[in-house]
Amino acid sequence: GLFSQKYEGLSLFSDRFMIPIFDEWGDCVALSGRVIPPADESQRKYINSPETSIYSKKKTLFALNLAKRSMGEKGFAIICEGPMDCIAYHQAGITNAVASCGTSFTEEHIQKLKRFAYNKETGTSTIYLSFDSDGAGQKATFKAIIACRQAGLTVKIIRLRGGKDPSEVLLKYGAETLTADVNSAILDNDYLL
């Protein structure tokens, strides 16, 4: 997916920071290109490889290959909006974070996380939602709460202090603040109220 059939001779990922996307077994299946700041605001923030027989956006979770063991050990998974937010969590030592790949949080994502974030002691799977604090992020949070509830998951919401996304919080305030935000996640009922 490095080149487009529609725009032959033009690199799809030109002037972008490239991030490999791996499947849950650690095989590289796609690429994500993030626009490099300061950039033209009219550009899409991320461009991902097109769908292929080995890469499906609705099934693939960024960093699942790195996070699945930690999810099992901690008994919960964190889902965030994009690769850079997920990388921020991992940089802060919070290694049970994953991100969707250019699509909304899907039923396929939920079923994967339900399996990996299972807590043997409580007999439940728990998902922490960490979407951006803007209007679109809050809509995505509401939709994700409903979908996770329908799948029988326990849901908590991470409210970020001092930034609109995890990467901004990490950059401005450091790992301690991001960790404190995760540790003070609230139940979905409290968020909805």
Side-chain angles (χ1 to χ4, degrees):
L2 293 176
F3 297 93
S4 167
Q5 290 180 348
K6 188 175 178 181
Y7 304 104
E8 291 181 28
L10 193 80
S11 172
L12 188 63
F13 297 110
S14 181
D15 298 323
R16 289 179 179 269
F17 174 75
M18 299 305 298
I19 306 165
I21 299 173
F22 298 91
D23 64 16
E24 65 188 83
W25 301 280
D27 296 319
C28 187
V29 294
L31 297 168
S32 182
R34 190 198 189 286
V35 71
I36 300 171
D40 177 6
E41 292 296 319
S42 66
Q43 293 186 60
R44 285 180 22 213
K45 192 173 184 179
Y46 287 99
I47 293 178
N48 292 322
S49 294
E51 299 267 331
T52 65
S53 59
I54 62 169
Y55 174 59
S56 169
K57 293 174 187 176
K58 68 180 186 176
K59 295 179 183 174
T60 306
L61 286 163
F62 178 79
L64 182 58
N65 61 313
L66 302 173
K68 61 185 180 182
R69 174 173 277 144
S70 181
M71 287 177 192
E73 291 168 357
K74 294 180 179 183
F76 70 95
I78 297 171
I79 180 78
C80 49
E81 281 190 43
M84 295 308 289
D85 293 336
C86 183
I87 290 169
Y89 274 120
H90 283 256
Q91 283 180 314
I94 303 165
T95 56
N96 55 334
V98 294
S100 56
C101 297
T103 187
S104 59
F105 189 42
T106 66
E107 180 62 33
E108 289 87 347
H109 293 149
I110 291 168
Q111 290 307 316
K112 275 191 181 185
L113 292 178
K114 187 175 185 177
R115 189 172 83 232
F116 288 117
Y118 183 74
N119 185 325
K120 293 175 188 169
E121 292 177 19
T122 63
T124 60
S125 297
T126 303
I127 303 294
Y128 285 35
L129 302 174
S130 180
F131 297 139
D132 290 359
S133 60
D134 60 10
Q138 296 310 300
K139 277 185 181 177
T141 299
F142 181 76
K143 280 180 64 178
I145 289 170
I146 303 304
C148 288
R149 282 268 191 99
Q150 289 173 342
L153 296 164
T154 300
V155 185
K156 290 191 172 187
I157 313 304
I158 299 171
R159 294 184 303 173
L160 299 170
R161 295 173 290 159
K164 71 177 181 68
D165 58 38
S167 56
E168 187 176 319
V169 172
L170 180 67
L171 190 64
K172 285 183 177 178
Y173 303 105
E176 299 79 22
T177 299
L178 195 54
T179 301
D181 288 346
V182 171
N183 291 338
S184 61
I186 61 172
L187 286 168
D188 54 353
N189 284 339
D190 295 330
Y191 171 82
L192 293 172
L193 287 172

